[in-house]
Amino acid sequence: MKSRFALLLIAMLALIGALSACTANGGAIYATIETEKKIDVSTLDQTITVLDLLNVGSGQFPYLVAAGAVFKGTVPDVNNVIGWPNVGGSPIAVTPPVRGALCLAMTSFNSGIYGGFFTSDGSTMGLYKSVGSPGFSFAVADGATAVAAMAGKQITHLQVAGPILAPNLFAVVATPGTGTSGFTYELDYSADGSSFTATNLTGLTTQITGVGYLPFNSTYYVTSGPTLYSGAVLGSLISTSLGFTLANGEELRGVTVDGSYIFIPSSNGAVYYYNGTTWARATTTDEVNGRSVGFLTVSTHVDTAGSGVIYLVGADGLGFYTLNVTNNTLTKFSDVTVTGLYAGAVRRMLVDQTQNNTVFMGTAGTGLWRATFDPATGAVNSTWIHE
Amino acid sequence: MKRLCSLVCAFVVLLACTVTPLFAAGDSGNIPSQYTLGDQTMSINAGLFIPLFLLPTGTVLLAGSPPHLSLGGVGSLSWAAYVAPQIRIGAEIGGSFTFSPNLNALLMLPVIAKASYVFTLYPFEIPVTLGVGMNIISYVDQHYFDFLIRPGAAFYYIFNSSWSFGLNVNYWIDMQFSGSTSRTGNFLETSLTALYHY
């Protein structure tokens, strides 16, 4: 009886093994591991959340990373290593306005670096213009400028947009409500970096996430919650249709302008883009934890020597996608071996075509990543480096 | 490939069915086993898991791709019953881990049926085993069932009528079927074993 039972058990296990394995939909785990390349690591903290990312020119320190503290890095050397000045492996941060102050937003404007800071105890500080290279200090004692018009204000977003010869620095100012009411948001702008004027977008209850300007139709675009605002005059921005009905709860997450295109990533697995004539929408049905993947940012084009139709889209929890505007497709980054990026939330991207078409990807909580992309095809052509 | 899998499964089942009368007399030249039909064993194994190489599934080459995997660990629990003095058949469930260059863990949970022919050279016994089954494999966010063939041998010291201790060596042939990306993982398991007879 026992031997019959044992034989039956053996037959069942063998059958299960055969049936479960011998299918066309089997795995490719070994093929994935076979091509896995070791990720190089640098000296930045690999758990930082990148809030903003800048290329400040072609000098010694062309990269600035706002991640609470602000870090500066040199161009890649002949060994493809970026120097992040450090002591004992710990990067030295750019000097903040006061000790412990955190940078929430950063951009370059009028040959200067602007940063929105608040102190580590949560009190607001305002907007600062740093000294120049190589120090980039934000401390007034070092020569930095505290922008008087923004003193004591909490700045959640900085972006530059406008005509090439007359750009504006935009600052989103968040004001805490009274009682149980949340923040309200206001969009201000400045032509000189010191005096600011409010647009008509004030008192908004949803975060203002992006500002862009399309030169050929002389129109500004602003995203806030589910609404796209546009207009030629910054005091008269009006709600504008994207040409598509947004899903319930869908939010617009920023504005990227590149060439003749404007891109708007959404929280519902879509990227809207406009070429001055019609709006298009690229979508994916991919989900994260049962919900549509949320897109966070769109890069400038990465096929910098090609036809300029390949863009990268940062995704919340799925790394990044490649957007091809020629055939309106979104393709997910599929290299599972780059774990921190593959499952990361990419919220800022920077394409530096002057440095071998290097792309930086700043994540929420899994650090800053770097690789070079083929300038003709826009595909990754190097190993990944975890800065 | 389905045909190959089916043939292997059938072979194991047939082996278990047919070896009983062939070896029941214990005429293999070694010392007759002290165990009989109905006796059972439980064993626990723990040891090293050594990645060897990867081959495109279905090919037989002398050298495959480097596995890109680190030395790992393996452990298992096994049950078997004697169907003849030198033959025992049973099942095993285990687990192994190893790491990729980026320290991503490759985890395997094999569930196999196995048949052993046991040479007894008192105070030692040397079971030669063939196991077949499924291997639940997990890597980052990928999870699959593989087909596993696992020949092996062991060398045990018979401590008393209940306990034996020794070294166990198994060769894992783990097949994944996925079109052009099909691969067969080749691994070597070396483990220490405690075997209990009852």
Side-chain angles (χ1 to χ4, degrees):
Chain A
M1 190 65 182
K2 286 180 178 175
S3 62
R4 277 189 187 175
F5 170 75
L7 285 173
L8 186 61
L9 181 64
I10 284 177
M12 285 178 61
L13 288 174
L15 191 62
I16 290 170
L19 289 177
S20 61
C22 299
T23 65
N25 297 321
I29 289 176
Y30 290 140
T32 300
I33 294 172
E34 194 175 55
T35 58
E36 181 166 338
K37 295 174 181 172
K38 185 169 176 55
I39 297 166
D40 293 323
V41 296
S42 189
T43 55
L44 279 185
D45 184 343
Q46 294 179 3
T47 62
I48 59 172
T49 291
V50 176
L51 302 170
D52 261 319
L53 193 53
L54 285 183
N55 180 349
V56 294
S58 57
Q60 184 188 5
F61 293 108
Y63 306 119
L64 289 176
V65 180
V70 176
F71 303 103
K72 59 182 180 181
T74 59
V75 294
D77 64 15
V78 291
N79 296 315
N80 201 25
V81 173
I82 285 184
W84 303 97
N86 65 90
V87 173
S90 298
I92 301 171
V94 168
T95 307
V98 297
R99 186 179 179 85
L102 302 174
C103 181
L104 284 183
M106 185 175 65
T107 193
S108 61
F109 179 70
N110 270 0
S111 304
I113 308 301
Y114 287 77
F117 284 85
F118 75 104
T119 57
S120 52
D121 65 6
S123 59
T124 56
M125 293 194 65
L127 182 65
Y128 290 78
K129 180 183 180 183
S130 80
V131 299
S133 179
F136 298 109
S137 170
F138 285 97
V140 174
D142 292 337
T145 305
V147 178
M150 288 290 167
K153 293 185 177 180
Q154 183 167 334
I155 295 161
T156 59
H157 186 76
L158 290 171
Q159 196 162 356
V160 175
I164 293 174
L165 297 178
N168 288 304
L169 172 62
F170 287 85
V172 177
V173 177
T175 305
T178 56
T180 57
S181 59
F183 280 83
T184 57
Y185 300 90
E186 173 181 311
L187 182 64
D188 295 349
Y189 68 99
S190 170
D192 58 11
S194 59
S195 59
F196 279 80
T197 304
T199 66
N200 64 312
L201 301 182
T202 61
L204 301 184
T205 55
T206 53
Q207 165 77 291
I208 297 170
T209 50
V211 185
Y213 177 83
L214 269 183
F216 66 84
N217 63 2
S218 303
T219 302
Y220 288 94
Y221 295 88
V222 180
T223 52
S224 176
T227 308
L228 172 68
Y229 298 91
S230 70
V233 179
L234 287 169
S236 310
L237 299 170
I238 58 171
S239 178
T240 305
S241 172
L242 279 165
F244 297 92
T245 302
L246 270 59
N248 187 30
E250 183 174 2
E251 292 183 345
L252 306 177
R253 296 263 180 85
V255 178
T256 297
V257 175
D258 184 73
S260 59
Y261 281 101
I262 183 169
F263 296 89
I264 297 174
S266 98
S267 63
N268 195 46
V271 177
Y272 300 91
Y273 55 100
Y274 180 63
N275 62 3
T277 306
T278 56
W279 282 95
R281 177 171 64 178
T283 60
T284 175
T285 56
D286 293 344
E287 294 184 338
V288 177
N289 298 326
R291 306 182 69 170
S292 293
V293 60
F295 289 126
L296 302 171
T297 187
V298 179
S299 75
T300 53
H301 66 280
V302 287
D303 53 338
T304 51
S307 47
V309 295
I310 307 296
Y311 296 82
L312 304 175
V313 184
D316 189 356
L318 289 179
F320 69 93
Y321 284 68
T322 300
L323 168 65
N324 186 328
V325 297
T326 301
N327 53 22
N328 196 36
T329 55
L330 281 166
T331 307
K332 183 176 173 293
F333 174 58
S334 60
D335 188 347
V336 301
T337 68
V338 191
T339 317
L341 182 61
Y342 173 77
V346 175
R347 57 190 317 283
R348 288 290 183 271
M349 292 185 181
L350 172 65
V351 178
D352 186 355
Q353 69 180 96
T354 67
Q355 299 298 328
N356 201 23
N357 215 36
T358 294
V359 176
F360 292 85
M361 296 196 183
T363 66
T366 57
L368 177 65
W369 296 79
R370 170 169 65 102
T372 59
F373 281 60
D374 187 320
T377 65
V380 180
N381 64 1
S382 73
T383 56
W384 284 94
I385 297 169
H386 200 178
E387 296 290 348
Chain B
M1 194 50 71
K2 282 186 176 180
R3 179 173 294 176
L4 172 64
C5 300
S6 304
L7 284 174
V8 173
C9 298
F11 173 75
V12 172
V13 175
L14 284 174
L15 175 68
C17 297
T18 56
V19 290
T20 304
L22 287 176
F23 294 100
D27 57 354
S28 59
N30 55 5
I31 294 175
S33 169
Q34 59 184 314
Y35 305 108
T36 60
L37 178 67
D39 287 340
Q40 298 179 48
T41 65
M42 288 287 293
S43 68
I44 183 168
N45 312 290
L48 298 176
F49 191 63
I50 307 167
L52 298 176
F53 53 90
L54 304 174
L55 288 175
T57 298
T59 63
V60 180
L61 299 173
L62 295 178
S65 303
H68 287 177
L69 292 166
S70 70
L71 183 68
V74 64
S76 64
L77 287 171
S78 176
W79 166 86
Y82 282 86
V83 293
Q86 279 104 359
I87 305 291
R88 57 182 185 233
I89 60 175
E92 181 178 312
I93 184 167
S96 74
F97 66 89
T98 181
F99 295 99
S100 75
N102 293 317
L103 297 181
N104 298 318
L106 174 68
L107 304 174
M108 297 181 186
L109 290 172
V111 180
I112 63 170
K114 62 181 189 178
S116 302
Y117 184 82
V118 185
F119 297 95
T120 304
L121 302 168
Y122 193 82
F124 302 102
E125 63 176 2
I126 306 169
V128 178
T129 304
L130 178 64
V132 176
M134 65 175 177
N135 191 14
I136 304 166
I137 182 169
S138 174
Y139 181 72
V140 193
D141 67 346
Q142 299 181 356
H143 316 282
Y144 294 114
F145 294 98
D146 292 350
F147 180 58
L148 177 66
I149 302 174
R150 206 193 65 180
F155 188 83
Y156 296 146
Y157 169 69
I158 302 172
F159 182 72
N160 58 33
S161 61
S162 295
W163 285 99
S164 299
F165 302 97
L167 179 68
N168 189 37
V169 178
N170 289 313
Y171 191 94
W172 294 41
I173 304 168
D174 185 61
M175 301 180 185
Q176 287 181 356
F177 302 100
S178 180
S180 62
T181 56
S182 296
R183 296 288 185 276
T184 295
N186 291 260
F187 303 89
L188 190 66
E189 167 193 345
T190 59
S191 56
L192 296 175
T193 301
L195 178 73
Y196 179 67
H197 295 268
Y198 59 102

